[in-house]
Amino acid sequence: MDHLEPLGLDTPLDAVVFAPTSIVAIEATETKKTAFEQLASEAVTRSGIRFDTLIVHADRCIVQANTVVIPVTTHDGAVVTKDVRGTSVPRQTPLLTGTRHLIVKHVDLNATSVPFRDETHRNRTRKSFACECAMYRERTNAPGANGGDSGNWATPFVYLTEGDWEADQFTVVMDDVGRPRPGAVSKAREDAAVHEAANLLEKEMTTIFPNDDLHEKNVAVVSLGEVSQEILTKSTMNQTTSVMMTNTATNLQNEAAKEFGVSGEKPAGAGDESNTQRLPGTCGFPRAVAAVQWLASFHAHWWRGLPDSPAVPADTWSRGGYWTLEKRAVDVNEAMDATWAGLLDAFENDPSPEFAAESKRVAQQLRKVCGDDFGKRLRLSAPALARTAQRSEWGTPHDENGGATLVHGDFKAANIVFRRKTKPGTVKPGSKTGEEYFEDDDDQGDETETDSTGGGNGAGAVGSPTVIDWQWTGPGCCAHDLAFFLTTSVSEFSLAKTDLVIEAYHQRLVNDLGCRGDAGRAAASAYSLGRLHRNLTVTYGDYARYLVGDVWRGVTPESLRKNHNRTNFGAHRRSIPHLLFCAEKGWRGLNECERGEPGDDPETDPDAPPPKRDADTPPLRRGPNAKLVAEILGVCVFLADTAGDIIRGVAESGQLGCVLDKSLPEGGEGDKNGKETKSVSKRQKNAPAEPPIAAASDPQTQADRRAERLICETLRQRFGGVVSVFGEEQLEGGLVGSGAANRDGSVDAADNSLKMTEAALHLAEEFVKDWEILLPQELEVGPRREKELRDANGEKLGKHAACAESDVTVWVDPLDGTREFVEGPEFWHGVTVLIGIAVRGVPVAGVIHQPFVGVDGKPPQTMLDVLQTRADAKAALAAEGWRPKPKTKNPESPDLETFPAGSFGTGRTLWGAPGIGVISHPGRDLMRGTPVPKPTRADVKNLVVCTTRSHQTPFVEGAVYNLHPHSVIRTGGAGGKTCLLLDGKADVWVFPAQGTKRWDTCACEALLSANRGGWLVRATNGGAYKYGSQTAKTPKNADGLLAASDKELYPWMVTKWPWLNEAGGERLGPRDPGLEKE
């Protein structure tokens, strides 16, 4: 090229050098090389880094579907010398200083070579990169001179972070922490710079572009969709975003023999790995220990629930990790059965004569440990396994010190970078740019702790690594990261020493938490090594669900051998020992959940309540009542979602059907004195206009009746022998049988298509497992009594015969907030479906479905858009003199009262029980459930009170303002108010008057109690309402109620309303025994 000149003192600043030895440089066109350089140059310039020279190491570039990762080196400032008069004199050979080794990562969602499956896939990808930018941005703003590259858990120092959850392009400029630390050995750096500057003068340098020329050419930012297929197919570059770690298979195998020599003294009991050939891309024992110690410091920093716990960065995932069930729900299907059977068959029939015998032994071992039905068991238990893993994040009502922290989400060897040690004299004489000096050369070894502090001779333990790729970060249990690392990223030698690795992690975690004051020391004491192992066991089982559901599809002995050196594959896809480790650990996790966790002994189980002296002590889990409640709850979750479909369908049609006022005497057309009254049923065509629906004090629509028939009939048919089911409409005399005529002669739709099939019912019964339920022991049946009841009632009641004396009741409000439903969509956020389950009069499980809100608790945007369109149409008509008629059961204009199908989305369902907590999932999408967060401590000086919208009286208003609230939310529906408490939008629900009934509050109290001991009590004395079958005769909550999600708020309420003590003295919650008054 004629315009190229050697680099000299008069060379224009910001020259861009493209490394000439790369495959990309050889195979790519001139335009594509310029595009890489243009992208890197502009990104580094925007980051505020001044440079005279920028070298693009294209041989280490990574090109993926929508991502390019470009390693670069920048130099700044030609060194000059001064003569005796102090005049600056340029040196004959330029010496470049201010060297930085950087990584430029750019993502363009609009320039992908692989199309997105759908908009959900695109949004999920956007969210992952927004999450990564959020974490880098948070660490860049961290206090300290070194920013993110400081402390016990280092991330790359980031100079530029561009992009958030609304962006389509993301750019990050960060330190290349895999290369030797600039300035670690001053002499070596200076020598390298001299060689590099000299080599730039050689004629072999091919491409030098002044920055001004780049701008004159107006080269666009690289569009990855334009990169030729030749680059993607012929390039030998490692296809992983972890460009910082470039160990070859040979180097990794050679390093196995050197690790302990480099790292110094081995931990006690570690053994010798020098004779073990390490799987490429995995961490040997010293690196594994260093990695988990970094992880422990990271988890301790983000530990939740401490007074100084930092806020979770915005744009991170609501739950960390990429293989959690809500992100991988599509994997849970009957294909899991076939995947496991196929894996066994592949090892049983390995076609390779050389490896057939070994593969057959592996198949026999898998069958012996896991059995032939392991895939099916994982499929049926997948939701419960995921929730049990979630439970370890937040603890349980009896032990709230769970392992909740912020998880990396993809903590594997490919994302863990150990900075290489700098050695003088490693630059080869024939080097063009000094690259051999800077590469991840195993002859240099890992930087040790003494090297990183600037002194010492390299002796000591492996230095702390730096971790990259934060695309799946979010709240989670610390065991999530640790289990993932141990199953995917440690050598076979380290695999046999996992207990030592776990102990190293726990010791660092305890030490770091202990530095956080009294609260940190208490958290460290509560999160024992035994609890960590317990959480790991469950997490292994949950991870096995992901492996069988997706990763192990197509895995065969031949694929393991073929992928042996593919370092970006998990070790369990490349190594038989790792595959066996994952299968055995997964089976153990599932088995211990199904048949008994290792800590089920009440003396050691952290979930166990204080033991009671009773010869017939009920089991902590998996008791007869727990099993029955689990099955009922699973069916109720499915039924609540279906009831929501009915309600939304009625709302979309604009036809509320025969609207009855249940406050009128049954039979309908006369009042209590026998005088004729106006009915709110449909009028004849020429009759006077019907009265507004709001005139009905207790309205009922076809949605109420249809939803109750569906729910109650299904439950009675399935559990009628041992369960009493009570529905609002039937108890109040407002319900006729399916197909029968209502008061005005109309007949509701039968909804036969919505009824659950036998297969669907069986699947629903398996949705919640008995091992998840932690019923109070006084509500369970002891082993001795269980045997007696089964012997007496086995033939009559079948598998639930032991529950015959437990008085299990289900209270159903098919449409709570009917008044709001008929008054219009502006009030529909308070409409809910309520199903509560009680044992011996105590609410233990519940379901609340909100048909007209999204997973965030707000109306869906589609609904808001339709409402706005309808409001605009009414405003235009009003400008022409139109006036709306009083609202009636029939829409005055379909264009103004109906909604397009799908306007309301699928709603949101909240459900829970003791031991599970409260789970929230989008309607009809049960696999994507997430736990409702622990309630925040109520601020009594800024209290937010929710109360009735339609039953305001001076007494109720006085009770509300007696609390001196900061704000008051007036809304309809008991379920709607409970959701406000669970969402943290209100602190307390105040309604000290008649108006609610048992079907309104059973589910509400169950969910408040399940979510960390929230409470609902009588407003007169603090007593608890009973929900046994006998209360069906008088279901009114005659004493009013008070409720809150924060159990610590109850003692403060006693100071305001002292009479709350009358039912049991000072206590922490409504169902605690408390202290008897003197």
Side-chain angles (χ1 to χ4, degrees):
M1 299 181 181
D2 296 337
H3 65 281
L4 299 181
E5 297 179 359
L7 181 66
L9 291 177
D10 56 348
T11 300
L13 295 180
D14 297 329
V16 179
V17 180
F18 199 83
T21 59
S22 71
I23 295 176
V24 175
I26 296 172
E27 296 182 347
T29 64
E30 186 67 28
T31 301
K32 298 303 178 293
K33 288 194 294 184
T34 304
F36 273 96
E37 295 164 5
Q38 179 76 14
L39 173 62
S41 176
E42 291 182 355
V44 173
T45 301
R46 292 199 306 276
S47 69
I49 298 175
R50 183 188 180 277
F51 58 91
D52 295 333
T53 305
L54 185 145
I55 302 177
V56 177
H57 305 287
D59 54 336
R60 297 175 63 214
C61 284
I62 295 170
V63 179
Q64 292 181 326
N66 48 38
T67 307
V68 61
V69 181
I70 310 172
V72 301
T73 298
T74 65
H75 300 290
D76 178 28
V79 173
V80 297
T81 58
K82 295 184 178 181
D83 59 17
V84 293
R85 294 171 294 181
T87 303
S88 297
V89 178
R91 296 182 60 173
Q92 295 299 319
T93 303
L95 179 63
L96 301 180
T97 60
T99 301
R100 287 187 178 91
H101 307 304
L102 306 174
I103 294 293
V104 178
K105 181 174 181 178
H106 180 73
V107 178
D108 189 349
L109 300 183
N110 296 321
T112 177
S113 60
V114 180
F116 294 106
R117 293 188 298 271
D118 48 37
E119 193 62 24
T120 300
H121 183 203
R122 180 187 181 92
N123 290 336
R124 177 179 169 181
T125 305
R126 177 188 289 111
K127 175 68 175 179
S128 67
F129 288 115
C131 176
E132 182 175 29
C133 288
M135 286 302 297
Y136 283 137
R137 191 176 292 114
E138 192 277 339
R139 290 303 289 156
T140 302
N141 296 329
N146 295 325
D149 195 12
S150 62
N152 292 329
W153 61 280
T155 59
F157 187 85
V158 179
Y159 301 89
L160 175 70
T161 305
E162 296 177 337
D164 56 26
W165 67 275
E166 294 181 335
D168 284 338
Q169 293 186 353
F170 306 85
T171 304
V172 177
V173 178
M174 69 185 88
D175 275 333
D176 187 347
V177 294
R179 309 185 76 189
R181 189 186 302 271
V185 180
S186 178
K187 184 64 170 63
R189 177 174 59 82
E190 182 178 334
D191 291 345
V194 170
H195 279 284
E196 188 169 7
N199 289 330
L200 292 179
L201 300 175
E202 297 183 10
K203 294 182 179 180
E204 290 85 347
M205 274 312 264
T206 57
T207 311
I208 303 177
F209 292 109
N211 203 34
D212 292 339
D213 290 343
L214 286 174
H215 288 292
E216 290 175 3
K217 294 181 180 181
N218 194 27
V219 179
V221 174
V222 59
S223 176
L224 299 182
E226 299 174 1
V227 175
S228 65
Q229 188 64 27
E230 187 178 18
I231 297 178
L232 300 177
T233 55
K234 293 187 178 180
S235 175
T236 60
M237 54 192 172
N238 182 21
Q239 295 298 311
T240 169
T241 53
S242 306
V243 68
M244 304 176 188
M245 191 173 184
T246 58
N247 290 352
T248 63
T250 302
N251 286 340
L252 287 170
Q253 292 171 1
N254 292 337
E255 186 183 329
K258 304 176 183 179
E259 277 188 314
F260 285 103
V262 172
S263 304
E265 186 178 353
K266 296 177 290 184
D272 189 0
E273 193 173 10
S274 59
N275 296 324
T276 304
Q277 188 177 39
R278 181 153 58 85
L279 183 69
T282 58
C283 294
F285 189 81
R287 278 189 170 185
V289 170
V292 299
Q293 287 176 337
W294 179 99
L295 183 65
S297 293
F298 167 71
H299 286 162
H301 175 83
W302 291 101
W303 203 260
R304 315 315 298 154
L306 302 182
D308 59 344
S309 295
V312 176
D315 283 353
T316 55
W317 293 92
S318 59
R319 187 175 183 225
Y322 71 88
W323 48 268
T324 54
L325 182 61
E326 69 273 9
K327 301 184 185 75
R328 305 297 311 186
V330 67
D331 299 336
V332 181
N333 52 55
E334 293 185 355
M336 294 178 67
D337 307 17
T339 297
W340 180 251
L343 184 69
L344 295 177
D345 183 68
F347 278 93
E348 188 73 36
N349 301 289
D350 188 351
S352 171
E354 182 181 358
F355 300 102
E358 179 187 1
S359 298
K360 191 176 291 292
R361 285 194 296 271
V362 172
Q364 293 172 351
Q365 187 170 352
L366 288 173
R367 278 197 172 91
K368 179 180 179 181
V369 173
C370 303
D372 291 316
D373 62 343
F374 186 47
K376 179 180 180 180
R377 289 173 60 200
L378 284 173
R379 171 172 59 85
L380 294 177
S381 301
L385 269 175
R387 289 191 297 270
T388 306
Q390 287 177 331
R391 180 165 62 88
S392 64
E393 299 171 19
W394 295 105
T396 67
H398 296 297
D399 183 0
E400 298 184 10
N401 294 293
T405 182
L406 201 69
V407 300
H408 179 276
D410 195 14
F411 190 74
K412 60 184 179 183
N415 294 333
I416 304 170
V417 185
F418 289 88
R419 191 183 289 275
R420 308 307 288 169
K421 184 167 59 176
T422 305
K423 278 189 177 181
T426 55
V427 179
K428 297 181 180 179
S431 170
K432 299 262 193 298
T433 62
E435 277 303 294
E436 288 79 357
Y437 171 81
F438 294 111
E439 284 302 314
D440 189 7
D441 185 1
D442 268 308
D443 289 337
Q444 296 173 205
D446 287 342
E447 182 180 78
T448 64
E449 292 178 353
T450 51
D451 290 326
S452 63
T453 58
N457 57 5
V462 172
S464 180
T466 302
V467 176
I468 59 173
D469 267 11
W470 298 83
Q471 296 177 21
W472 301 100
T473 303
C477 179
C478 59
H480 179 101
D481 281 337
L482 187 56
F484 183 67
F485 174 75
L486 294 176
T487 53
T488 62
S489 303
V490 300
S491 64
E492 183 177 344
F493 175 87
S494 302
L495 205 63
K497 303 292 181 181
T498 52
D499 285 347
L500 293 176
V501 177
I502 294 170
E503 288 178 12
Y505 168 88
H506 186 261
Q507 182 178 1
R508 173 65 66 86
L509 179 71
V510 169
N511 289 342
D512 284 14
L513 285 175
C515 298
R516 304 272 296 275
D518 292 342
R521 286 188 287 273
S525 176
Y527 200 72
S528 63
L529 183 61
R531 187 167 183 84
L532 173 60
H533 277 286
R534 180 189 182 92
N535 291 346
L536 280 171
T537 299
V538 176
T539 306
Y540 286 137
D542 192 32
Y543 187 56
R545 176 266 311 160
Y546 167 63
L547 294 179
V548 177
D550 179 69
V551 178
W552 284 349
R553 293 178 183 175
V555 168
T556 63
E558 183 180 358
S559 72
L560 263 63
R561 296 189 289 269
K562 180 180 178 181
N563 297 326
H564 182 268
N565 293 328
R566 300 188 68 173
T567 57
N568 200 39
F569 275 30
H572 46 68
R573 298 174 64 186
R574 304 184 287 130
S575 160
I576 288 178
H578 288 81
L579 185 147
L580 290 172
F581 178 86
C582 291
E584 179 181 356
K585 291 292 186 181
W587 172 84
R588 188 179 301 278
L590 175 60
N591 196 60
E592 289 179 349
C593 284
E594 289 182 338
R595 302 177 186 176
E597 297 184 35
D600 270 353
D601 182 353
E603 295 182 359
T604 60
D605 190 342
D607 296 331
K612 295 183 178 181
R613 294 183 178 180
D614 186 349
D616 191 24
T617 302
L620 183 62
R621 295 179 178 85
R622 293 174 298 279
N625 286 344
K627 183 172 181 58
L628 176 58
V629 169
E631 291 184 7
I632 298 172
L633 181 57
V635 174
C636 287
V637 171
F638 279 73
L639 290 173
D641 283 353
T642 307
D645 292 340
I646 293 175
I647 296 170
R648 283 185 293 270
V650 171
E652 288 172 356
S653 70
Q655 300 285 342
L656 302 184
C658 173
V659 180
L660 304 176
D661 188 348
K662 293 184 293 183
S663 63
L664 295 175
E666 185 174 1
E669 301 300 328
D671 63 12
K672 295 181 181 180
N673 298 321
K675 298 180 181 180
E676 185 178 349
T677 59
K678 293 183 179 180
S679 170
V680 293
S681 60
K682 187 173 181 179
R683 303 291 183 182
Q684 298 297 326
K685 182 176 181 181
N686 297 324
E690 57 183 296
I693 287 179
S697 61
D698 192 7
Q700 180 200 77
T701 70
Q702 63 161 321
D704 296 76
R705 297 186 293 271
R706 291 167 58 189
E708 179 165 319
R709 289 191 191 99
L710 174 74
I711 296 171
C712 294
E713 289 178 5
T714 302
L715 292 176
R716 289 182 183 120
Q717 291 173 6
R718 198 68 176 180
F719 306 103
V722 291
V723 176
S724 300
V725 182
F726 303 110
E728 175 190 8
E729 310 307 330
Q730 184 178 30
L731 287 181
E732 294 193 335
L735 185 69
V736 295
S738 179
N742 296 305
R743 292 183 187 178
D744 67 341
S746 63
V747 178
D748 297 327
D751 296 316
N752 290 325
S753 62
L754 297 178
K755 292 183 178 180
M756 300 179 69
T757 63
E758 183 63 29
L761 282 168
H762 178 70
L763 181 64
E765 289 176 345
E766 296 286 344
F767 180 66
V768 182
K769 295 292 187 177
D770 55 357
W771 78 67
E772 301 180 83
I773 306 292
L774 278 170
L775 290 183
Q777 288 187 306
E778 59 269 20
L779 302 182
E780 196 47 275
V781 180
R784 185 182 62 222
R785 186 57 181 160
E786 178 184 357
K787 183 178 185 303
E788 294 172 355
L789 290 171
R790 290 193 184 281
D791 292 342
N793 304 302
E795 295 184 3
K796 179 181 178 181
L797 300 179
K799 62 179 181 179
H800 296 304
C803 306
E805 298 178 346
S806 298
D807 191 18
V808 180
T809 56
V810 180
W811 296 85
V812 179
D813 188 342
L815 200 163
D816 182 47
T818 306
R819 181 189 295 267
E820 284 68 30
F821 184 56
V822 300
E823 288 183 355
E826 295 79 5
F827 306 102
W828 286 354
H829 58 274
V831 173
T832 56
V833 178
L834 301 176
I835 309 176
I837 305 169
V839 177
R840 295 176 181 165
V842 179
V844 296
V847 184
I848 300 178
H849 177 76
Q850 296 177 280
F852 302 107
V853 304
V855 290
D856 57 356
K858 300 177 182 179
Q861 189 60 45
T862 52
M863 177 178 172
L864 297 178
D865 292 342
V866 174
L867 284 174
Q868 185 61 49
T869 300
R870 200 170 70 176
D872 293 342
K874 288 185 176 182
L877 290 173
E880 300 175 0
W882 172 83
R883 293 292 181 267
K885 300 176 182 178
K887 186 171 180 61
T888 65
K889 66 178 180 292
N890 295 319
E892 57 185 85
S893 170
D895 295 334
L896 300 181
E897 299 295 333
T898 61
F899 289 84
S903 297
F904 309 122
T906 59
R908 174 177 75 156
T909 302
L910 301 169
W911 63 274
I916 297 177
V918 180
I919 305 296
S920 170
H921 71 254
R924 291 291 190 182
D925 202 352
L926 286 72
M927 296 297 183
R928 301 188 189 277
T930 56
V932 172
K934 178 181 179 179
T936 57
R937 186 72 179 269
D939 181 1
V940 296
K941 295 182 179 180
N942 295 280
L943 204 65
V944 180
V945 176
C946 63
T947 189
T948 179
R949 182 181 72 89
S950 56
H951 294 78
Q952 300 178 30
T953 65
F955 182 75
V956 172
E957 293 299 291
V960 168
Y961 287 101
N962 175 263
L963 303 178
H964 303 287
H966 175 269
S967 59
V968 179
I969 302 175
R970 303 183 189 280
T971 185
K977 298 181 187 70
T978 302
C979 291
L980 290 176
L981 298 177
L982 294 172
D983 289 337
K985 298 177 182 178
D987 298 313
V988 61
W989 171 15
V990 177
F991 185 57
Q994 296 187 27
T996 62
K997 299 181 176 65
R998 297 298 199 275
W999 48 75
D1000 294 312
T1001 55
C1002 185
C1004 299
E1005 182 175 350
L1007 292 188
L1008 289 172
S1009 178
N1011 191 36
R1012 286 299 195 277
W1015 46 273
L1016 187 152
V1017 299
R1018 298 173 185 263
T1020 55
N1021 60 8
Y1025 283 112
K1026 292 294 184 180
Y1027 296 85
S1029 55
Q1030 295 300 317
T1031 59
K1033 301 175 182 179
T1034 55
K1036 290 184 178 181
N1037 296 331
D1039 293 331
L1041 61 89
L1042 294 175
S1045 59
D1046 178 15
K1047 72 176 183 179
E1048 304 296 337
L1049 188 61
Y1050 190 82
W1052 181 84
M1053 289 294 299
V1054 172
T1055 66
K1056 292 293 183 179
W1057 294 2
W1059 55 85
L1060 293 178
N1061 271 333
E1062 294 180 6
E1066 298 178 2
R1067 54 188 177 179
L1068 295 178
R1071 293 198 178 277
D1072 295 336
L1075 301 175
E1076 295 296 334
K1077 295 182 66 176
E1078 296 181 359

